[in-house]
Amino acid sequence: MTRAHFVFTSESVSEGHPDKVADQISDSIVDLFLSKDPEARVACETLVTTRLIVLAGEIRVREGAEPTLFEIEDAAREAVRRIGYQQDGFHWRYAKFENLLHPQSIDIARGVDASGNKDEGAGDQGIMFGYATDETPSLMPATLHYCHRILERLAELRRSGEAPFLEPDAKSQLTLAYEDERPVKAVKLVVSHQHERGYCQSRLRRFIKDVVADVLPPGWMPADEDIYVNPTGRFEIGGPDGDAGLTGRKIIVDTYGGAAPHGGGAFSGKDPTKVDRSAAYMCRYLAKNVVAAGLARRCTIQIAYAIGVSEPLSLHVDLHGTGRVPEERLERLLPELVSLTPRGIRTHLGLNRPIYRPTAAYGHFGRAPTPEGHFSWERLDLVERLQAAL
């Protein structure tokens, strides 16, 4: 039985966090290849550390559409420049760059490619989850929603020049109190933010508290003694110079902040034939539309795949005791409304486009879809069909 009164915590990291720097570089490479060939295959891993950027992984692109080595390097450096790293220990222009990308395995290609009567198969085995809850307008868990928004707002102020003392690396952590399963206030807050050398910590604390107060709903601010800003005392050395970053190490930040299961696979750096990414997007799309249609207050969806097999092995729906319809009916209905094959997912959500770099910071879910196709899995275009069918 779900507890009615409890506290729950989520965390987020900024675009300048070392692992997020790696994610953004990897997704910039995905976008570059998809801009050249919508059917390109990419699995790009990035390592960033002091004065060094390294790419590794597998790629495949149609003949004549290959990006040049210069274009690949330029895409990686531009991702770092956009974040704002111009530090001695990590500078977008002067960091050493190594490109170790190589052709995709023919064994993987054989399983994924369509041929004869065989439809396109999943790029790997695995389980994917999607989740939605009505506790925020974005249908995301409130703890993660506000963690993301706090860091986004701080980054906006840094990039605009209003807060020149802020540097790109930052983390947030928020604990909310729930009553009758609804968030009612924040009880603990942690923000660690990189800053210019020698900046006054008390001034930084006041500034960050004011930003947080603007982001949280009125009356939600924790007591002053429950707010921790740079609890180590200072945060001058940060980013890849302070800690190495790798693609795919912030998967809970990327999804639901621990409020829902995660299948284990990372998203960034992968083209949409990889069901780790595309099927997780589809699971979110389905769960969000179920909640938006008023069929439940909370919904978790799991889909499982086998490498080289087009149809999913299983579909599981959990409405957490909040449903207005039986889960079994949704498990039968959802595959009738949307094809859950890898090709069906890519087509329905329009995933074969260079739309992925913006996903690599501040969460893959709970964002507004755009006319250009970004965050298409956040659309609510199944609501009426679900309501009519049920």
Side-chain angles (χ1 to χ4, degrees):
M1 181 179 295
T2 302
R3 293 173 60 192
H5 309 288
F6 57 93
V7 296
F8 191 76
T9 303
S10 293
E11 70 158 349
S12 180
V13 298
S14 74
E15 63 207 57
H17 185 280
D19 295 327
K20 278 289 143 202
V21 174
D23 284 344
Q24 289 165 92
I25 292 172
S26 290
D27 272 340
S28 294
I29 301 304
V30 172
D31 284 351
L32 172 64
F33 275 81
L34 291 177
S35 71
K36 300 283 187 176
D37 175 9
E39 300 294 329
R41 304 291 166 78
V42 186
C44 177
E45 312 295 340
T46 301
L47 161 71
V48 289
T49 188
T50 303
R51 302 186 183 90
L52 179 64
I53 303 168
V54 180
L55 305 185
E58 299 77 45
I59 55 174
R60 194 180 81 192
V61 64
R62 62 178 169 80
E63 188 174 352
E66 304 92 341
T68 65
L69 295 178
F70 172 79
E71 288 176 312
I72 293 172
E73 179 174 349
D74 187 61
R77 292 189 184 277
E78 174 59 20
V80 178
R81 187 201 65 78
R82 192 182 295 110
I83 295 166
Y85 275 113
Q86 302 184 64
Q87 300 171 356
D88 290 341
F90 193 71
H91 195 295
W92 67 271
R93 176 175 289 162
Y94 303 120
K96 182 182 178 182
F97 177 79
E98 294 185 22
N99 178 3
L100 305 178
L101 296 171
H102 60 81
Q104 183 185 53
S105 158
I106 59 172
D107 291 339
I108 293 176
R110 183 183 300 115
V112 175
D113 291 348
S115 61
N117 294 325
K118 175 185 172 298
D119 192 8
E120 175 186 300
D124 201 353
Q125 73 175 47
I127 55 174
M128 296 82 207
F129 288 92
Y131 180 69
T133 171
D134 67 355
E135 62 189 59
T136 61
S138 63
L139 303 187
M140 287 289 288
T143 47
L144 184 64
H145 172 85
Y146 290 112
C147 277
H148 284 327
R149 302 296 84 80
I150 289 166
L151 293 183
E152 273 191 305
R153 180 60 181 149
L154 288 166
E156 290 168 3
L157 295 170
R158 172 179 61 84
R159 289 194 300 265
S160 72
E162 294 181 59
F165 49 89
L166 296 181
E167 298 288 348
D169 195 358
K171 302 178 77 171
S172 64
Q173 183 172 288
L174 186 65
T175 302
L176 297 183
Y178 284 71
E179 296 179 5
D180 295 325
E181 302 182 38
R182 297 290 184 179
V184 295
K185 63 180 179 179
V187 294
K188 302 285 184 180
L189 169 70
V190 184
V191 177
S192 296
H193 208 302
Q194 187 187 13
H195 55 84
E196 69 181 15
R197 190 169 298 277
Y199 194 77
C200 174
Q201 292 297 309
S202 61
R203 290 178 63 189
L204 180 66
R205 177 184 174 86
R206 287 195 300 271
F207 177 82
I208 288 177
K209 281 178 60 180
D210 288 343
V211 171
V212 173
D214 286 341
V215 171
L216 293 179
W220 275 36
M221 280 293 284
D224 195 66
E225 63 269 20
D226 293 321
I227 298 174
Y228 303 86
V229 175
N230 287 358
T232 63
R234 70 183 183 196
F235 187 1
E236 295 176 353
I237 301 172
D241 188 31
D243 191 10
L246 293 170
T247 302
R249 286 206 300 196
K250 286 292 176 282
I251 58 176
I252 301 303
V253 169
D254 284 343
T255 52
Y256 306 104
H262 192 296
F267 302 157
S268 291
K270 297 176 181 178
D271 75 80
T273 66
K274 277 70 171 177
V275 286
D276 275 347
R277 179 170 222 158
S278 56
Y281 289 173
M282 176 56 76
C283 288
R284 162 64 178 174
Y285 172 72
L286 296 176
K288 184 178 183 181
N289 275 269
V290 166
V291 173
L295 304 179
R297 289 192 294 106
R298 295 169 57 207
C299 177
T300 299
I301 291 180
Q302 183 206 58
I303 302 179
Y305 291 88
I307 188 169
V309 179
S310 59
E311 291 291 339
L313 304 186
S314 67
L315 168 67
H316 174 73
V317 176
D318 184 358
L319 303 181
H320 305 278
T322 70
R324 299 176 58 192
V325 297
E327 282 105 339
E328 295 85 352
R329 289 189 65 188
L330 284 171
E331 289 168 352
R332 292 192 298 270
L333 175 62
L334 293 175
E336 297 174 3
L337 297 180
V338 181
S339 170
L340 300 180
T341 67
R343 184 194 300 275
I345 293 172
R346 291 191 295 116
T347 301
H348 188 85
L349 297 180
L351 298 182
N352 283 95
R353 290 182 282 184
I355 57 174
Y356 295 105
R357 185 196 57 78
T359 69
Y362 311 116
H364 292 246
F365 307 126
R367 315 281 290 276
T370 70
E372 296 76 28
H374 301 92
F375 304 102
S376 59
W377 46 94
E378 295 294 314
R379 300 188 315 239
L380 294 175
D381 51 5
L382 277 187
V383 168
E384 292 185 0
R385 295 173 65 191
L386 282 165
Q387 291 172 334
L390 294 169

